[in-house]
């Protein structure tokens, strides 16, 4: 759950400090039971119910930052392995335990990553590497246990990857053709849709 911490002399509330869950947990429409988001303007809601990050990137970050990272280091609800932003597409549907989840958008790194790890430019580093992770919305609620296999049960036909969306979001910002391609995916989250529509 969110807790209060000091950042630049100010008290803020954040839910970035995640702890491992050894017991089965129910995943509901907007979050895991027992989990909470502090900043509901930028986090949480149905489009951003579950944050997932790739364990495959941990070795890079440990080498870059110079310290050991434990699962949940990026504030994610799910630390997953065996895939990266190159393979996951907006609109893909996965099964995990009893639940079904749909990919909605990349994760946007915020200052709370810098706060947690005491690395001022960490959000910028995450943005520049495009090792952002992503968000799920919950298609079907259900019980989840640690260590269960995340199985892709449906691949979106448009094949718009998280990596591609990140590239257009942060690098090739005014590629109109690419923006239109992304906007064709109706499963894209409302906040990302609004951002890209403004660019058009």
């Amino acid at each position: 759950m969110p807790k209060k911490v000091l950042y630049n002399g100010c008290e803020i509330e954040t839910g970035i400090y995640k702890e491992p869950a050894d017991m089965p947990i129910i995943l509901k429409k907007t979050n895991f039971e027992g989990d909470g988001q502090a900043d509901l303007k930028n986090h949480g809601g149905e489009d951003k119910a579950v944050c997932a990050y790739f364990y495959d990137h941990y070795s890079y970050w440990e080498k870059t930052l110079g310290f050991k990272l434990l699962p949940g280091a990026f504030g994610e609800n799910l630390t997953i392995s065996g895939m990266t932003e190159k393979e996951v597409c907006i609109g893909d549907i996965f099964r995990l335990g009893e639940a079904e989840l749909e990919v909605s958008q990349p994760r946007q790194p915020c200052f709370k990553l810098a706060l947690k790890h005491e690395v001022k430019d960490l959000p910028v580093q995450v943005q520049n590497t495009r090792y952002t992770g992503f968000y799920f919305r919950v298609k079907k609620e259900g019980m989840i246990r640690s260590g269960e296999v995340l199985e892709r049960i449906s691949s979106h036909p448009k094949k718009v990857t998280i990596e591609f969306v990140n590239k257009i979001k942060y690098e090739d910002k005014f590629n109109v053709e690419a923006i239109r391609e992304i906007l064709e995916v109706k499963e894209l989250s409302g906040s990302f849709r609004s951002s890209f529509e403004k660019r058009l």
Side-chain angles (χ1 to χ4, degrees), residues 92-137:
D92 284 357
I93 298 175
F94 289 80
R95 180 183 293 120
L96 184 62
E98 299 174 353
E100 291 183 7
L101 307 98
E102 182 178 74
V103 180
S104 59
Q105 68 165 72
R107 185 249 189 99
Q108 288 183 272
C110 76
F111 75 93
K112 291 175 183 177
L113 279 174
L115 162 67
K116 178 172 182 172
H117 296 294
E118 298 180 353
V119 178
K120 286 186 178 180
D121 69 339
L122 186 53
V124 176
Q125 289 189 53
V126 170
Q127 180 178 305
N128 290 343
T129 59
R130 316 272 157 61
Y131 295 167
T132 60
F134 64 97
Y135 281 104
F136 282 119
R137 64 173 60 89

Side-chain angles (χ1 to χ4, degrees), residues 57-69:
H57 296 324
Y58 271 54
S59 59
Y60 168 84
W61 289 118
E62 288 177 346
K63 183 178 179 181
T64 300
L65 301 175
F67 50 82
K68 180 72 177 171
L69 296 171

Side-chain angles (χ1 to χ4, degrees), residues 90-185:
I90 305 295
D92 284 357
I93 298 175
F94 289 80
R95 180 183 293 120
L96 184 62
E98 299 174 353
E100 291 183 7
L101 307 98
E102 182 178 74
V103 180
S104 59
Q105 68 165 72
R107 185 249 189 99
Q108 288 183 272
C110 76
F111 75 93
K112 291 175 183 177
L113 279 174
L115 162 67
K116 178 172 182 172
H117 296 294
E118 298 180 353
V119 178
K120 286 186 178 180
D121 69 339
L122 186 53
V124 176
Q125 289 189 53
V126 170
Q127 180 178 305
N128 290 343
T129 59
R130 316 272 157 61
Y131 295 167
T132 60
F134 64 97
Y135 281 104
F136 282 119
R137 64 173 60 89
V138 178
K139 298 282 286 183
K140 178 185 174 186
E141 299 178 339
M143 188 76 74
I144 293 177
R145 295 167 178 82
S146 178
E148 288 186 310
V149 175
L150 181 68
E151 176 190 7
R152 186 173 357 218
I153 58 175
S154 176
S155 296
H156 197 278
K158 295 288 186 182
K159 304 292 184 188
V160 173
T161 66
I162 295 294
E163 181 184 59
F164 180 72
V165 177
N166 279 334
K167 179 182 177 183
I168 305 306
K169 179 78 173 173
Y170 300 117
E171 181 185 334
D172 195 6
K173 297 181 179 182
F174 300 103
N175 185 328
V176 172
E177 184 179 343
I179 291 172
R180 286 179 174 152
E181 182 180 348
I182 293 168
L183 290 173
E184 285 177 1
V185 183

